[in-house]
Amino acid sequence: MAEALILVEASPGEVRTALLLNDVLTEAWVERPARPDGVGDLHRGRVLAISAAMSGAFVALARNETGFLPESAASAPRQPIKNAVQEGQVLGLRVTRAAQADKGPRLSALLKDAEAARIAAAPAGAPRLVARGPSAAERLAAQYPAAVVRVHGAALAARLRGVLGDRVAPLHGAVFDEVLEGEFASLAESSVPLPGGGVLHIQTTRALTALDVDSAGAGDGLARFNEAALPEIARQIRLRNLSGAILLDVAGLSPKRRQTLLEPLRAALRPDALARLVGLTGLGLFEMVRDRIHPPLAEALHSPLAEGLAALRQAARDAAARPAVRLMLQARPEVISALRDLPSALAEFTALAGHALELQSVAQGRPQIREVPRD
């Protein structure tokens, strides 16, 4: 069995969590505690409308959110949705899939006894958020019960210790070293180096994710090159939390020779419980599907807020190294606006640094941390 280690790095407004299996980064999570994705949340919701055509029901949740309860998750044994629930009915629910694109969260009314009891014990009224779901660190700790959980961030370490006990090892310094920081940064890129000198290109659309392998001149060794690349391709799918339909085009093989890669690809995907190989399409593309639960990592890494929080993380490090210096963040207006819309992150910086971070809009360029000029 692989040796597992869970590393959790807290910074203002953000928590990054890494799962290392035998020292290899295998899962990467970026969470904003003030804006959780909602998976695992417990709700008391009210049925708004039943849709027989969609085999489910729309349910009002807290904060003016609407979720979807599929027929298959409405009752056990399964009944037609119109027999399982009624409009206006109040239900205890768990979020099983985060809101994605234009679709609200997916729900289940099939609860564990402890979940049902917790919802029943909550104050009356619906819709109501009863409890938040587990964080990435908690989910990984449940999957890997022997793993140590190393945490940077005193408040976060104390909270996790209350849940996970002595498995949590608080650290005063950063738990992400330079190598791990570089690996997290590379996950924002759409191209990935492959063994043998090739490159994997990743393109996500609303309908599917396309993966294209560039051999970069592997020549006569294309079959060996493609097979050697499969474990890294499977790792990147899991690392980036790619989901839904996934199509892979390997480099330069005939359809017959591509057939020989089916079993190696299936083996490479096997450690990922969410992924499965469907087969080879008529065009010679490998068709995979991966369950949609949490949003893909790219959603957390490509936004003005992501830029702002990365700058805030660096500012917190600078403040710790130079506690007597007041700092300013210079960034584009959309980055400054995104941070101001997340005041809890700025408040966390103030608590860590002992002073508020000054924010200054500039027309263009990457965010920069500057010293505040003395009067």
Side-chain angles (χ1 to χ4, degrees):
M1 181 176 292
E3 182 178 344
L5 176 63
I6 300 167
L7 304 177
V8 189
E9 182 87 19
S11 59
E14 195 166 73
V15 176
R16 297 179 298 159
T17 302
L19 169 68
L20 274 63
L21 296 181
N22 292 332
D23 294 326
V24 175
L25 179 62
T26 304
E27 292 191 23
W29 298 91
V30 176
E31 298 172 301
R32 280 78 190 251
R35 295 180 184 173
D37 66 22
V39 175
D41 286 359
L42 299 179
H43 285 262
R44 187 181 288 129
R46 178 177 289 108
V47 178
L48 291 173
I50 295 171
S51 174
M54 296 179 65
S55 299
F58 294 96
V59 182
L61 303 176
R63 301 182 182 180
N64 297 317
E65 194 168 29
T66 300
F68 184 73
L69 174 65
E71 185 176 84
S72 60
S75 64
R78 185 182 302 182
Q79 304 176 48
I81 189 66
K82 62 183 180 180
N83 297 334
V85 299
Q86 298 178 343
E87 290 185 9
Q89 183 178 353
V90 173
L91 298 172
L93 301 158
R94 179 181 66 255
V95 176
T96 59
R97 191 180 81 180
Q100 297 180 31
D102 299 325
K103 299 178 181 179
R106 184 72 60 88
L107 307 170
S108 175
L110 306 178
L111 304 176
K112 298 177 182 177
D113 290 344
E115 294 172 334
R118 190 167 186 182
I119 292 172
R128 177 183 295 278
L129 172 63
V130 174
R132 285 293 186 191
S135 66
E138 293 169 86
R139 296 193 304 270
L140 292 173
Q143 287 179 254
Y144 299 91
V148 172
V149 184
R150 296 179 183 165
V151 183
H152 174 247
L156 179 60
R159 189 185 70 76
L160 288 175
R161 182 163 274 233
V163 178
L164 304 175
D166 291 341
R167 295 175 61 187
V168 174
L171 297 181
H172 295 296
V175 296
F176 282 23
D177 60 18
E178 289 186 10
V179 173
L180 192 54
E181 287 283 4
E183 288 193 82
F184 258 74
S186 72
L187 293 173
E189 304 295 328
S190 60
S191 297
V192 181
L194 291 172
V199 178
L200 173 68
H201 300 285
I202 302 169
Q203 183 67 50
T204 298
T205 70
R206 288 178 65 90
L208 55 85
T209 297
L211 308 179
D212 179 66
V213 175
D214 181 350
S215 66
D220 295 335
L222 276 176
R224 291 191 301 274
F225 164 78
N226 281 305
E227 184 170 352
L230 296 180
E232 179 61 18
I233 292 170
R235 185 177 82 101
Q236 290 295 326
I237 290 171
R238 186 175 176 184
L239 265 178
R240 295 163 184 264
N241 197 31
L242 303 178
S243 57
I246 302 171
L247 295 179
L248 167 64
D249 186 16
V250 297
L253 296 180
S254 67
K256 183 176 180 180
R257 296 182 73 188
R258 290 179 183 224
Q259 290 280 349
T260 66
L261 296 180
L262 283 168
E263 286 309 313
L265 178 55
R266 186 173 283 113
L269 292 171
R270 193 167 293 130
D272 184 354
L274 300 181
R276 54 196 179 277
L277 176 62
V278 177
L280 201 59
T281 72
L283 294 175
L285 304 177
F286 292 90
E287 183 181 1
M288 297 165 276
V289 64
R290 193 166 184 274
D291 295 345
R292 294 182 186 272
I293 299 177
H294 298 272
L297 188 62
E299 288 190 13
L301 297 179
H302 296 131
S303 68
L305 179 59
E307 280 191 65
L309 291 176
L312 211 56
R313 181 165 62 247
Q314 184 58 54
R317 292 170 179 162
D318 290 351
R322 299 180 292 166
V325 175
R326 293 182 63 86
L327 299 175
M328 168 194 298
L329 169 62
Q330 295 177 329
R332 303 189 318 278
E334 57 267 33
V335 174
I336 298 296
S337 178
L339 284 176
R340 285 183 171 142
D341 287 342
L342 196 68
S344 59
L346 295 173
E348 287 178 40
F349 174 86
T350 300
L352 288 170
H355 67 83
L357 181 68
E358 293 195 23
L359 303 176
Q360 184 179 87
S361 292
V362 294
Q364 58 186 0
R366 297 178 63 83
Q368 300 289 330
I369 307 299
R370 310 287 191 193
E371 290 187 19
V372 174
R374 296 181 182 275
D375 293 335

